[in-house]
Amino acid sequence: MADIKFTEDEKALIVRKIQLYFTEELKQEIGRFDAEFLLDFFSGEVGPYFYNRGLYDAQAILSSKLEDLGDAIYLLERPTEFRK
């Protein structure tokens, strides 16, 4: 898996959300540099867990849809000597 990377705009928005969280929930100020450092830490250490969970969820949805497709194809089959 490649590193999780954000555009500059995405990173700025996430950093601002981190700063707001610290201010509103923890009643502490956190500078931009520290918020970026925290984002980098979570992206590298925690991000893969969220990424993998997203992959597992996507795989489950795809598997379900493929099963539905298989059932739909089965219903299209015509009776033959092999299947009545």
Side-chain angles (χ1 to χ4, degrees):
M1 176 184 108
D3 289 340
I4 296 171
K5 295 188 181 188
F6 300 105
T7 65
E8 287 301 317
D9 289 341
E10 291 170 330
K11 192 170 186 175
L13 178 66
I14 296 168
V15 164
R16 183 68 187 132
K17 287 182 177 278
I18 292 170
Q19 289 175 308
L20 284 172
Y21 177 80
F22 267 74
T23 300
E24 294 174 2
E25 300 296 327
L26 303 176
K27 308 298 184 224
Q28 294 179 354
E29 294 293 322
I30 183 173
R32 186 172 152 257
F33 177 79
D34 289 334
E36 285 181 8
F37 184 77
L38 190 58
L39 174 60
D40 291 341
F41 169 77
F42 277 107
S43 294
E45 298 297 323
V46 180
Y49 293 97
F50 286 95
Y51 180 85
N52 288 346
R53 175 56 53 203
L55 290 178
Y56 300 149
D57 292 348
Q59 185 178 32
I61 290 170
L62 184 57
S63 179
S64 173
K65 296 298 180 187
L66 287 174
E67 188 175 312
D68 292 345
L69 184 58
D71 292 343
I73 291 171
Y74 179 78
L75 291 174
L76 293 173
E77 289 184 12
R78 302 285 184 233
T80 65
E81 294 172 6
F82 302 110
R83 179 176 177 260
K84 296 183 183 189

